[in-house]
């Protein structure tokens, strides 16, 4: 894939730029691409901290998207509150929220789909969060996309 860097991206680090692309989607995937030295900026391999000037051509092979969709899975969820619009779930430490490389199943999203608690669509239905795997806390989850 070839991507022309916009002028608005000038000054941005290469790893952050790659992570912002929908074909890459996360900093960890961007870093893996950069570590494999498969990312070229104007034909040359660059490190993750390379600052973009704008106008360069970035070339890389995007990672393959997972073919399998999300499937509901039975999970013991700790529900703090729920109504017809939302679910508040107490996420324990050690549970991954969204499917990711190495965590294709057993995530909070899979459990919420079984519970009927995740609305929206795609791979992040109804959840916007900042809780990592090792962090516990309450997640407020939409049951629909809203209007």
């Amino acid at each position: 894939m070839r991507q022309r860097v916009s002028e608005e991206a000038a000054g941005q680090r290469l790893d952050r730029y790659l992570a912002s692309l929908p074909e890459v989607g996360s900093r960890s995937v961007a870093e893996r691409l950069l570590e494999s030295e498969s990312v070229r900026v104007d034909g040359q391999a660059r490190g993750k901290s390379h600052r973009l000037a704008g106008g360069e051509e970035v070339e890389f092979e995007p990672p393959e998207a997972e073919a399998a969709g999300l499937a509901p899975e039975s999970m013991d969820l700790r529900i703090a509150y729920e109504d017809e619009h939302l679910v508040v779930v107490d996420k324990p430490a050690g549970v991954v929220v969204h499917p990711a490389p190495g965590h294709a199943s057993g995530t909070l999203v899979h459990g919420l789909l079984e519970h009927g608690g995740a609305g929206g669509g795609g791979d992040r239905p109804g959840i916007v969060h900042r809780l990592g795997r090792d962090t516990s806390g309450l997640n407020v989850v939409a049951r629909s996309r809203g209007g």
Side-chain angles (χ1 to χ4, degrees), residues 77-98:
L77 296 175
R78 298 186 314 211
I79 304 298
Y81 174 83
E82 70 180 307
D83 63 22
E84 68 273 13
H85 304 289
L86 59 92
V87 175
V88 180
V89 61
D90 186 4
K91 184 194 92 61
V95 173
V96 175
V97 177
H98 299 285

Side-chain angles (χ1 to χ4, degrees), residues 21-140:
L21 299 175
E23 298 84 5
V24 176
S26 74
R27 294 239 346 243
S28 61
V29 173
E31 287 184 15
R32 281 195 297 277
L33 284 171
L34 289 161
E35 286 170 1
S36 71
E37 297 183 5
S38 62
V39 178
R40 303 265 184 242
V41 178
D42 287 338
Q44 296 184 349
R46 299 289 184 183
K48 67 181 183 178
S49 61
H50 173 75
R51 296 276 175 183
L52 297 167
E56 300 100 326
E57 184 175 84
V58 176
E59 188 175 351
F60 65 95
E61 193 63 40
E64 289 188 31
E66 291 186 25
L70 291 175
E73 294 179 21
S74 180
M75 183 180 288
D76 185 27
L77 296 175
R78 298 186 314 211
I79 304 298
Y81 174 83
E82 70 180 307
D83 63 22
E84 68 273 13
H85 304 289
L86 59 92
V87 175
V88 180
V89 61
D90 186 4
K91 184 194 92 61
V95 173
V96 175
V97 177
H98 299 285
H103 301 281
S105 64
T107 69
L108 188 63
V109 165
H110 290 97
L112 284 166
L113 288 171
E114 175 73 17
H115 181 74
D123 64 346
R124 295 181 183 266
I127 304 175
V128 177
H129 74 98
R130 296 300 299 163
L131 297 179
R133 177 183 65 200
D134 297 325
T135 305
S136 63
L138 297 174
N139 273 314
V140 179

Side-chain angles (χ1 to χ4, degrees), residues 7-13 50-54:
E7 296 300 321
E8 292 83 31
Q12 195 171 25
R13 286 172 45 130
H50 173 75
R51 296 276 175 183
L52 297 167

